[in-house]
Amino acid sequence: MQETAVEQPDPPAANEVVAEAPQEAPQEAPDPPELAFTDAASATRWVKALPLSNVAQAYQLLVEQLQALTASTMGPRDRATIAELIREPVAHLHTELARRYAGKPQPLDEREAEAADQAVALWQALWIQYSVCLKPLLEGTTELQGVKAKLLQRALYVGKELIIVHGYARRVPSAELWQELHAYYRLAEMLDCAMVSVSDHLLPEAEGLSCYSMYSHALLLALSDPYAQTVRQIELTDRWLGQWARKVFPYAKQRENEGPVIVIDLEGPHGAMLAATGSGTHAASVRFGYPAKLITSVRRRLKRLASGSQPSDLQLGDDVSTEAATALLKHLDQRWHHVPAAGRRKRSTAVEVTVGGIDAAYFRVGGKSFSRQDPLGRDTDPTRYLQTVGGISDFDRRREQAERSWPWEKWYGVCEWREATIKHQGDSNYHWFLDQLVAVREDSQTRLGFVSRIAIETDGALCLSIKLWPGDPKVFAVRLVNPNGSEEVPVAAVLLSDAPEEPATLVMSPRAFALNRVMRCEEPGPVQKLKLTHIVQRGGDFERVAFEGVDANF
């Protein structure tokens, strides 16, 4: 395909670039299997015969043949063509593997972790094929001159897919992954093809596709913080960036600019960072991206969604709701435009946490386990009459089991009024997922919140961000009042009292909410009725609902 230049204001000059190409990766296997094809034609037949319905078998065949291809003396043009042929089944297998590990509670179990490892191994084995082509590319071989932009865009695409794999698995990418990705883009600059337009059948809706747009795509994807997104949100962000990534160009020279700047160090061990300004002295390896056009596009869509436009009208897709699109666009606006406030470094402290849904929260807040037979959370048994004796009136027969099921687990980090950022090294008693109800105890004060971010650092440490609700928690047993006046069995709930930031809400089990549902709250004191008015927040294992009093004020 003939390469054509993408229009771009103020392109960086080639003499501004000093770069080194990525190093060829060493052979992964000392004794690779025999190569099943000898050229692009035979490779096409082999790929068509792959048993893609059998994920394990197809994975093994692909990895083995990619290892054999790495060790072979295949010419660079044939190698690049074969890599292009294999890219599609690799993408297909990754989709199948992702069903096993993507977005699953952390830490992953053995089967899930193996699927994530296999996805990484597949893309890495494919990435090596492009590394092997770099030496002849730098030497100016005529075989690759007409496809150098496409070759490097494909390599950057694989790097972007590895960012997605790590996001799905909640793993922070290694320094080596980022350095390899940066090196491919530096090579595109060196060969003066960063802005050359290419096509890619795996990205049919992408606009202005080139090496720089693919590189920006990967940087913006990581900058969007996939560890705070659901799998569906990561997929949508990736899809939308196919249209938007070209709006951010990595300039070698700083420009006059009002607003934040995206700073990229092509020799750094991490991706892009958002800064208030790019002013000052920087190394020659630093690039500057300006997100103003991107943010204008995001905010225009938010405004139109608020005025009644449908996501499909705004090129967001006909498979996403207005509510979901609005929530994700607001998150992206925050990540791509709002520079985090620079506060003073706070000392790490011990924080205790526990999870287990509303019953665990009820136990840790109220100090007693919940029983559906007694509205005060006490158990009933044949010796109930003994409860009239003061010494055992609050006996909790399920307490030992509750302590074993929902123990306090010690983490370390910073716990502030609205958010805790904590870390745990080693095995956790619990499995963690986004929007999970959490009880947090610091200095004997217990509060409730939900998991807003999960990331596993390269050293294996599990890191959480927990958004904390401002109201003081208080436990209740609530009964649904039916239209005929009858009542359902009690269920656990936690009341979050009024706070300056927001009115009182009730935290309950999932699917507890129904519009205008009347419930009776029982506690030591007067019985009170309330009517549920709307859902404030729907989490993974809870609902937080607003209410109004029926015959008493809360």
mmCIF file of all heavy atoms in Angstrom, residues 463-486:
data_model
loop_
_atom_site.group_PDB
_atom_site.id
_atom_site.type_symbol
_atom_site.label_atom_id
_atom_site.label_comp_id
_atom_site.label_asym_id
_atom_site.label_seq_id
_atom_site.Cartn_x
_atom_site.Cartn_y
_atom_site.Cartn_z
ATOM 1 N N CYS A 463 -2.413 -3.080 45.476
ATOM 2 C CA CYS A 463 -2.712 -1.698 45.860
ATOM 3 C C CYS A 463 -4.191 -1.410 45.632
ATOM 4 O O CYS A 463 -4.725 -1.749 44.579
ATOM 5 C CB CYS A 463 -1.871 -0.722 45.049
ATOM 6 S SG CYS A 463 -0.100 -0.940 45.270
ATOM 7 N N LEU A 464 -4.815 -0.786 46.604
ATOM 8 C CA LEU A 464 -6.226 -0.431 46.525
ATOM 9 C C LEU A 464 -6.416 1.056 46.749
ATOM 10 O O LEU A 464 -5.695 1.672 47.536
ATOM 11 C CB LEU A 464 -7.047 -1.171 47.585
ATOM 12 C CG LEU A 464 -7.129 -2.684 47.580
ATOM 13 C CD1 LEU A 464 -7.995 -3.144 48.743
ATOM 14 C CD2 LEU A 464 -7.690 -3.206 46.271
ATOM 15 N N SER A 465 -7.416 1.604 46.078
ATOM 16 C CA SER A 465 -7.963 2.907 46.435
ATOM 17 C C SER A 465 -9.396 2.665 46.879
ATOM 18 O O SER A 465 -10.148 1.944 46.203
ATOM 19 C CB SER A 465 -7.928 3.879 45.262
ATOM 20 O OG SER A 465 -6.601 4.232 44.945
ATOM 21 N N ILE A 466 -9.768 3.250 48.011
ATOM 22 C CA ILE A 466 -11.106 3.075 48.567
ATOM 23 C C ILE A 466 -11.732 4.441 48.759
ATOM 24 O O ILE A 466 -11.175 5.295 49.458
ATOM 25 C CB ILE A 466 -11.056 2.328 49.919
ATOM 26 C CG1 ILE A 466 -10.418 0.947 49.740
ATOM 27 C CG2 ILE A 466 -12.450 2.196 50.521
ATOM 28 C CD1 ILE A 466 -10.133 0.235 51.054
ATOM 29 N N LYS A 467 -12.860 4.672 48.105
ATOM 30 C CA LYS A 467 -13.621 5.896 48.314
ATOM 31 C C LYS A 467 -14.465 5.724 49.576
ATOM 32 O O LYS A 467 -15.235 4.762 49.689
ATOM 33 C CB LYS A 467 -14.533 6.184 47.118
ATOM 34 C CG LYS A 467 -13.800 6.419 45.807
ATOM 35 C CD LYS A 467 -13.079 7.754 45.795
ATOM 36 C CE LYS A 467 -12.477 8.033 44.424
ATOM 37 N NZ LYS A 467 -11.701 9.288 44.399
ATOM 38 N N LEU A 468 -14.324 6.657 50.512
ATOM 39 C CA LEU A 468 -15.022 6.567 51.788
ATOM 40 C C LEU A 468 -16.232 7.490 51.807
ATOM 41 O O LEU A 468 -16.163 8.631 51.341
ATOM 42 C CB LEU A 468 -14.073 6.928 52.932
ATOM 43 C CG LEU A 468 -12.870 5.989 53.103
ATOM 44 C CD1 LEU A 468 -11.878 6.568 54.092
ATOM 45 C CD2 LEU A 468 -13.336 4.610 53.566
ATOM 46 N N TRP A 469 -17.344 6.985 52.342
ATOM 47 C CA TRP A 469 -18.543 7.803 52.456
ATOM 48 C C TRP A 469 -18.463 8.663 53.709
ATOM 49 O O TRP A 469 -17.972 8.223 54.758
ATOM 50 C CB TRP A 469 -19.776 6.908 52.502
ATOM 51 C CG TRP A 469 -19.999 6.171 51.223
ATOM 52 C CD1 TRP A 469 -19.947 6.676 49.957
ATOM 53 C CD2 TRP A 469 -20.305 4.779 51.074
ATOM 54 N NE1 TRP A 469 -20.209 5.703 49.024
ATOM 55 C CE2 TRP A 469 -20.435 4.523 49.678
ATOM 56 C CE3 TRP A 469 -20.500 3.721 51.957
ATOM 57 C CZ2 TRP A 469 -20.743 3.267 49.179
ATOM 58 C CZ3 TRP A 469 -20.803 2.472 51.461
ATOM 59 C CH2 TRP A 469 -20.920 2.244 50.088
ATOM 60 N N PRO A 470 -18.973 9.884 53.659
ATOM 61 C CA PRO A 470 -18.774 10.803 54.780
ATOM 62 C C PRO A 470 -19.628 10.529 56.008
ATOM 63 O O PRO A 470 -19.240 10.856 57.121
ATOM 64 C CB PRO A 470 -19.122 12.167 54.169
ATOM 65 C CG PRO A 470 -20.044 11.858 53.033
ATOM 66 C CD PRO A 470 -19.584 10.543 52.489
ATOM 67 N N GLY A 471 -20.812 9.942 55.856
ATOM 68 C CA GLY A 471 -21.711 9.779 56.999
ATOM 69 C C GLY A 471 -21.237 8.746 58.002
ATOM 70 O O GLY A 471 -20.600 7.750 57.650
ATOM 71 N N ASP A 472 -21.563 8.958 59.285
ATOM 72 C CA ASP A 472 -21.273 7.959 60.313
ATOM 73 C C ASP A 472 -22.208 6.768 60.140
ATOM 74 O O ASP A 472 -23.427 6.937 60.014
ATOM 75 C CB ASP A 472 -21.465 8.554 61.712
ATOM 76 C CG ASP A 472 -20.414 9.598 62.032
ATOM 77 O OD1 ASP A 472 -19.278 9.441 61.555
ATOM 78 O OD2 ASP A 472 -20.719 10.563 62.763
ATOM 79 N N PRO A 473 -21.684 5.534 60.137
ATOM 80 C CA PRO A 473 -22.533 4.362 59.915
ATOM 81 C C PRO A 473 -23.221 3.881 61.196
ATOM 82 O O PRO A 473 -22.665 3.967 62.293
ATOM 83 C CB PRO A 473 -21.539 3.321 59.400
ATOM 84 C CG PRO A 473 -20.224 3.698 60.018
ATOM 85 C CD PRO A 473 -20.244 5.193 60.167
ATOM 86 N N LYS A 474 -24.441 3.379 61.022
ATOM 87 C CA LYS A 474 -25.213 2.821 62.134
ATOM 88 C C LYS A 474 -26.033 1.664 61.590
ATOM 89 O O LYS A 474 -26.676 1.788 60.535
ATOM 90 C CB LYS A 474 -26.129 3.896 62.726
ATOM 91 C CG LYS A 474 -26.951 3.436 63.915
ATOM 92 C CD LYS A 474 -27.821 4.586 64.418
ATOM 93 C CE LYS A 474 -28.652 4.156 65.620
ATOM 94 N NZ LYS A 474 -29.538 5.266 66.096
ATOM 95 N N VAL A 475 -26.038 0.520 62.269
ATOM 96 C CA VAL A 475 -26.707 -0.674 61.747
ATOM 97 C C VAL A 475 -28.202 -0.653 62.047
ATOM 98 O O VAL A 475 -28.645 -0.109 63.055
ATOM 99 C CB VAL A 475 -26.062 -1.966 62.301
ATOM 100 C CG1 VAL A 475 -24.619 -2.066 61.889
ATOM 101 C CG2 VAL A 475 -26.207 -2.057 63.805
ATOM 102 N N PHE A 476 -28.954 -1.281 61.133
ATOM 103 C CA PHE A 476 -30.398 -1.437 61.285
ATOM 104 C C PHE A 476 -30.800 -2.809 60.761
ATOM 105 O O PHE A 476 -30.133 -3.369 59.889
ATOM 106 C CB PHE A 476 -31.158 -0.390 60.457
ATOM 107 C CG PHE A 476 -31.222 0.964 61.077
ATOM 108 C CD1 PHE A 476 -30.207 1.882 60.850
ATOM 109 C CD2 PHE A 476 -32.293 1.325 61.865
ATOM 110 C CE1 PHE A 476 -30.260 3.144 61.414
ATOM 111 C CE2 PHE A 476 -32.355 2.582 62.435
ATOM 112 C CZ PHE A 476 -31.344 3.501 62.215
ATOM 113 N N ALA A 477 -31.912 -3.308 61.262
ATOM 114 C CA ALA A 477 -32.617 -4.411 60.617
ATOM 115 C C ALA A 477 -33.856 -3.809 59.981
ATOM 116 O O ALA A 477 -34.588 -3.054 60.632
ATOM 117 C CB ALA A 477 -33.003 -5.480 61.624
ATOM 118 N N VAL A 478 -34.081 -4.062 58.700
ATOM 119 C CA VAL A 478 -35.223 -3.471 58.005
ATOM 120 C C VAL A 478 -36.118 -4.574 57.456
ATOM 121 O O VAL A 478 -35.648 -5.644 57.046
ATOM 122 C CB VAL A 478 -34.761 -2.539 56.859
ATOM 123 C CG1 VAL A 478 -33.996 -1.366 57.417
ATOM 124 C CG2 VAL A 478 -33.917 -3.280 55.835
ATOM 125 N N ARG A 479 -37.437 -4.295 57.465
ATOM 126 C CA ARG A 479 -38.425 -5.244 56.938
ATOM 127 C C ARG A 479 -39.222 -4.567 55.826
ATOM 128 O O ARG A 479 -39.694 -3.439 55.993
ATOM 129 C CB ARG A 479 -39.400 -5.675 58.034
ATOM 130 C CG ARG A 479 -38.806 -6.521 59.144
ATOM 131 C CD ARG A 479 -39.887 -6.796 60.185
ATOM 132 N NE ARG A 479 -39.413 -7.576 61.324
ATOM 133 C CZ ARG A 479 -39.499 -8.901 61.407
ATOM 134 N NH1 ARG A 479 -40.039 -9.582 60.411
ATOM 135 N NH2 ARG A 479 -39.061 -9.539 62.473
ATOM 136 N N LEU A 480 -39.383 -5.257 54.704
ATOM 137 C CA LEU A 480 -40.229 -4.772 53.627
ATOM 138 C C LEU A 480 -41.692 -4.884 54.060
ATOM 139 O O LEU A 480 -42.137 -5.931 54.528
ATOM 140 C CB LEU A 480 -39.991 -5.589 52.357
ATOM 141 C CG LEU A 480 -40.996 -5.388 51.217
ATOM 142 C CD1 LEU A 480 -40.908 -3.961 50.677
ATOM 143 C CD2 LEU A 480 -40.747 -6.404 50.111
ATOM 144 N N VAL A 481 -42.426 -3.787 53.887
ATOM 145 C CA VAL A 481 -43.853 -3.774 54.186
ATOM 146 C C VAL A 481 -44.616 -3.974 52.883
ATOM 147 O O VAL A 481 -44.507 -3.160 51.949
ATOM 148 C CB VAL A 481 -44.273 -2.452 54.845
ATOM 149 C CG1 VAL A 481 -45.774 -2.459 55.143
ATOM 150 C CG2 VAL A 481 -43.484 -2.215 56.127
ATOM 151 N N ASN A 482 -45.360 -5.059 52.780
ATOM 152 C CA ASN A 482 -46.118 -5.364 51.573
ATOM 153 C C ASN A 482 -47.384 -4.512 51.513
ATOM 154 O O ASN A 482 -47.848 -3.978 52.535
ATOM 155 C CB ASN A 482 -46.485 -6.844 51.536
ATOM 156 C CG ASN A 482 -45.249 -7.721 51.435
ATOM 157 O OD1 ASN A 482 -44.358 -7.455 50.635
ATOM 158 N ND2 ASN A 482 -45.193 -8.774 52.254
ATOM 159 N N PRO A 483 -47.979 -4.372 50.314
ATOM 160 C CA PRO A 483 -49.198 -3.559 50.185
ATOM 161 C C PRO A 483 -50.335 -4.019 51.093
ATOM 162 O O PRO A 483 -51.164 -3.215 51.512
ATOM 163 C CB PRO A 483 -49.572 -3.719 48.700
ATOM 164 C CG PRO A 483 -48.268 -4.000 48.023
ATOM 165 C CD PRO A 483 -47.484 -4.812 48.989
ATOM 166 N N ASN A 484 -50.395 -5.316 51.411
ATOM 167 C CA ASN A 484 -51.468 -5.816 52.276
ATOM 168 C C ASN A 484 -51.157 -5.656 53.764
ATOM 169 O O ASN A 484 -51.915 -6.123 54.617
ATOM 170 C CB ASN A 484 -51.753 -7.284 51.966
ATOM 171 C CG ASN A 484 -50.551 -8.183 52.217
ATOM 172 O OD1 ASN A 484 -49.515 -7.734 52.724
ATOM 173 N ND2 ASN A 484 -50.688 -9.465 51.860
ATOM 174 N N GLY A 485 -50.018 -5.018 54.060
ATOM 175 C CA GLY A 485 -49.675 -4.776 55.454
ATOM 176 C C GLY A 485 -48.770 -5.822 56.065
ATOM 177 O O GLY A 485 -48.225 -5.612 57.161
ATOM 178 N N SER A 486 -48.590 -6.969 55.379
ATOM 179 C CA SER A 486 -47.686 -7.988 55.900
ATOM 180 C C SER A 486 -46.238 -7.548 55.726
ATOM 181 O O SER A 486 -45.944 -6.634 54.952
ATOM 182 C CB SER A 486 -47.928 -9.320 55.186
ATOM 183 O OG SER A 486 -47.630 -9.193 53.807
#
